[in-house]
Amino acid sequence: MQTGVCYFPEHWPRERWEADIERMAEAGIEYVRMSEFAWNRMEPEPGEYEFEWLAEAVDLVGDHEMRAVLCTPTATPPKWLVAQYPGIRQERPDGTPLEFGSRRHYCFNSPEYRRESRRIIERLADRFAGNEAVAGWQTDNEFGCHDTVRCYCDDCTSAFRTWLRETYDSVDALNDAWGNAFWSQEYTGFAEVDVPVPTPAEHHPTRLLDYHRFASDSVVEYNRLHADLLREADDEWFVTHNFMGDFEPLDAFDVTEDLDFAAWDSYPTLHTQQAPDTPAPEDAGADLHRAGDPDVTGMNHALYRGVSGGPFWIMENQAGDIRAFPYSAEPDDGMIRLWTHQAAAHGADVVSYFRWRRCQFGQEQYWGALNNYDGSPDRGLEEAAEAAAEFDSLPDLDAPSGDVAILVDYDSMWALHSERHAPDFDYWAHLRTYYRAFRRRGTTVDLVSTSADFDEYAAVVAPSLHLVADDLADRLAAYAEGGGELLLTVRSATKDEHHRLRDELAPGPLADALGARVEQHESLSPGLETRVSYEGETYDYRTWAEWLRPDGGTVVGHHESGAADGEPAIVRNASGDGHLTYVGVWPEDGLADAIVVALLERAGLPVGERLPERVRLTERDGHTWITNFRADAVSIDPDSGSVVLGDTTVPGRDLAVVDGPAHGVSVDIDDEA
Ligand SMILES: [Zn+2]
């Protein structure tokens, strides 16, 4: 476990570089990411390459026994390139082109832009091939940031038609798969199919879904261009990309097929404010504004560990206050170090801070850094150095791997988000309901794609797995029959892979194994009564209700309110050596905990004490991090393990590490503190 930092030598006079880089090394930093937006400094005029300034910075990094992570600079095509090829610009659905003047203004499907990208990447990679100081590369920067995965230009229209032809072969097959008999939407040729530009009513859901798949695939293809060129130049380099947390429009599993591992950019106070399942800013309180929500950040760590299939990186870790909307409180003392350790506990091998020094110009002057804009150390620098020294004191550890998996399916998310039926039906928030419940019990959870090997897990949760093709249904049924504990939640297995309701009621091809079918569903406004019984207790739920018709399955929960009063809400059934459970409501915390505990018990997994709010146990390769996001102290009993970092009293916004398993550690709120 190591640390890194993002540095922009092009923003500072050359005579400062050595002093900056020397101070990075003194802070224990081992990786320096550079050059992500510097195309114009690399090629000030078409065909005139200037890489020597960057080579000098790389040499300085190497001289101080650190290694550089370089970036392909394609997120910011320079003005001369946009002027030469105005068609490279993205277009919004109404045809408005995205103009030069910020970043990410290019289209992934522009043939000119792909050619120009290839040209600069080849030159850049050739210049640094064989350079020992360069460890690897980041492709581009934050694919999709500023809502730029989905473009509506002529190049995308033509690429979308090609994608459809390759997918469906004949337009009759497309008409049939989409169900274009509805509203006279049948086509006579692929050339008639447009990208979804504005229409009077909502779009055909399958057209929208296929466009979302196509847009994500376009980024996958564009990223592959980068990865292939970099590997051709030097196969010792790693190739990664910095993703943006639980981002909707881009399938991170697909992109990472072409990468060595995934990285993501972690801004805990920003992501906590943006999460739809955290309180509004005026109700969030100091804990969330100054420390962030540990499960919002934690689930993103688990996601990118799953995407990577092992260790991942944080390419940008929040280093201070940031210009997040709507507010940006200063993190409390200790949070930069605590976020760093939290990432490492979840499997980050490198935590790299954004950025070394706050910039004095441009769009990010209010984005905090390890150093202030006058060059003096800012609040985070000392904590970053402390974390680096602590990493040195710990052994090398393999990435965590859990016994419980939560399935992430971007297709289902895209389908659900185009037919939310409730403003607060957010896919990531629904996943997080279950993630939080497991984490409050100290359970390690992997977030994996639907192509994962389910048999590696004692329990698999498929939250709102809305679209289920027959082969996936078969694999899930076989998993349960072979002894697995499968948990399905609301809206699962309702539709086929073409976003069409199936011939049989939900959960469609899994209904026989479950021994129940979903008869009715409703979305529920806040303010309506939402009570359900489960195993003799009464609980609250939110947003969505279904009532089930049992056919061999055991009803373990009933509705106790509304039109569904008395109807079955939760059904479980034995199948072979395992079980299927279907939860027909979106549970609030109490019910989520009860469901998760029962699932862990049936799966034969340890059930930890329910942890105090905002305290989390995270186990990595036999070591357990106790991260305390609370303001007050907690006491820990490490059981058979011993405390190798920190103490048995863990102050607020602080941590301890125990060399033992998470389920042995107990935590109490320290009344003395
Ligand atoms: Zn386009």
Side-chain angles (χ1 to χ4, degrees), residues 220 223-224 231 252-260 307 451:
V220 170
N223 175 70
R224 184 177 303 139
R231 292 203 175 97
F253 290 100
D254 287 349
V255 176
T256 307
E257 293 273 307
D258 293 303
L259 301 172
D260 292 287
V307 163
S451 60

Side-chain angles (χ1 to χ4, degrees), residues 104 106 108 140-145 219 223 241 244 247 250:
R104 301 224 60 81
Y106 72 85
F108 292 104
D140 201 283
N141 178 74
E142 294 180 347
F143 285 135
C145 195
V219 182
N223 175 70
H241 176 74
M244 291 182 297
F247 183 63
L250 182 61

Side-chain angles (χ1 to χ4, degrees), residues 1 337-338 340-346 386-387 389-395 397 616-628 634 636-651 654-662 665 667:
M1 298 172 296
R337 169 174 169 262
L338 183 52
T340 305
H341 274 279
Q342 185 199 16
H346 280 268
E386 198 179 338
E390 287 164 345
F391 284 172
D392 284 345
S393 75
L394 293 167
L397 299 171
R616 292 291 176 265
L617 301 176
T618 310
E619 185 176 331
R620 177 173 183 172
D621 195 13
H623 280 61
T624 297
W625 270 255
I626 301 92
T627 49
N628 181 11
V634 296
I636 59 165
D637 178 352
D639 192 33
S640 58
S642 55
V643 180
V644 295
L645 189 66
D647 205 341
T648 51
T649 297
V650 184
D654 209 327
L655 64 114
V657 181
V658 167
D659 63 352
V665 178
V667 181

Side-chain angles (χ1 to χ4, degrees), residues 78-148:
K79 179 68 182 174
W80 58 259
L81 198 150
V82 180
Q84 201 171 350
Y85 303 108
I88 69 164
R89 292 170 303 167
Q90 280 216 0
E91 283 182 23
R92 292 298 190 207
D94 68 356
T96 306
L98 300 187
E99 299 292 353
F100 177 84
S102 66
R103 61 181 188 176
R104 301 224 60 81
H105 38 290
Y106 72 85
C107 166
F108 292 104
N109 285 305
S110 158
E112 285 95 1
Y113 199 61
R114 288 198 181 186
R115 191 188 64 227
E116 290 296 295
S117 299
R118 179 178 289 276
R119 189 175 56 73
I120 189 68
I121 295 165
E122 277 175 345
R123 290 292 183 135
L124 184 56
D126 281 351
R127 175 61 187 82
F128 291 96
N131 187 324
E132 291 286 311
V134 178
W137 291 75
Q138 170 191 304
T139 59
D140 201 283
N141 178 74
E142 294 180 347
F143 285 135
C145 195
H146 321 299
D147 192 16
T148 56

Side-chain angles (χ1 to χ4, degrees), residues 256-289:
T256 307
E257 293 273 307
D258 293 303
L259 301 172
D260 292 287
F261 55 85
W264 79 280
D265 294 348
S266 177
Y267 294 97
T269 63
L270 168 68
H271 294 128
T272 296
Q273 283 195 73
Q274 289 178 340
D277 52 333
T278 54
E282 59 271 26
D283 301 321
D287 275 345
L288 292 182
H289 281 293

Side-chain angles (χ1 to χ4, degrees), residues 6-133:
C6 303
Y7 188 52
F8 298 85
E10 69 273 23
H11 295 173
W12 306 104
R14 224 168 256 232
E15 50 273 24
R16 267 219 67 90
W17 294 357
E18 180 146 27
D20 278 344
I21 288 168
E22 196 173 306
R23 287 177 57 225
M24 291 174 201
E26 284 167 11
I29 283 164
E30 300 188 55
Y31 291 94
V32 184
R33 186 196 68 172
M34 297 187 288
S35 80
E36 57 175 349
F37 300 124
W39 191 334
N40 200 51
R41 288 296 175 96
M42 297 172 182
E43 191 183 10
E45 289 181 51
E48 292 200 7
Y49 301 100
E50 290 186 11
F51 296 128
E52 294 321 300
W53 65 271
L54 183 58
E56 195 181 320
V58 167
D59 286 347
L60 283 170
V61 167
D63 291 346
H64 289 81
E65 293 178 0
M66 299 181 289
R67 299 192 79 195
V69 178
L70 297 183
C71 308
T72 56
T74 43
T76 48
K79 179 68 182 174
W80 58 259
L81 198 150
V82 180
Q84 201 171 350
Y85 303 108
I88 69 164
R89 292 170 303 167
Q90 280 216 0
E91 283 182 23
R92 292 298 190 207
D94 68 356
T96 306
L98 300 187
E99 299 292 353
F100 177 84
S102 66
R103 61 181 188 176
R104 301 224 60 81
H105 38 290
Y106 72 85
C107 166
F108 292 104
N109 285 305
S110 158
E112 285 95 1
Y113 199 61
R114 288 198 181 186
R115 191 188 64 227
E116 290 296 295
S117 299
R118 179 178 289 276
R119 189 175 56 73
I120 189 68
I121 295 165
E122 277 175 345
R123 290 292 183 135
L124 184 56
D126 281 351
R127 175 61 187 82
F128 291 96
N131 187 324
E132 291 286 311

Side-chain angles (χ1 to χ4, degrees), residues 538-557:
T538 299
Y539 298 96
D540 292 327
Y541 67 90
R542 53 167 281 194
T543 310
W544 194 266
E546 292 169 349
W547 49 105
L548 305 169
R549 185 177 70 222
D551 179 18
T554 306
V555 178
V556 292

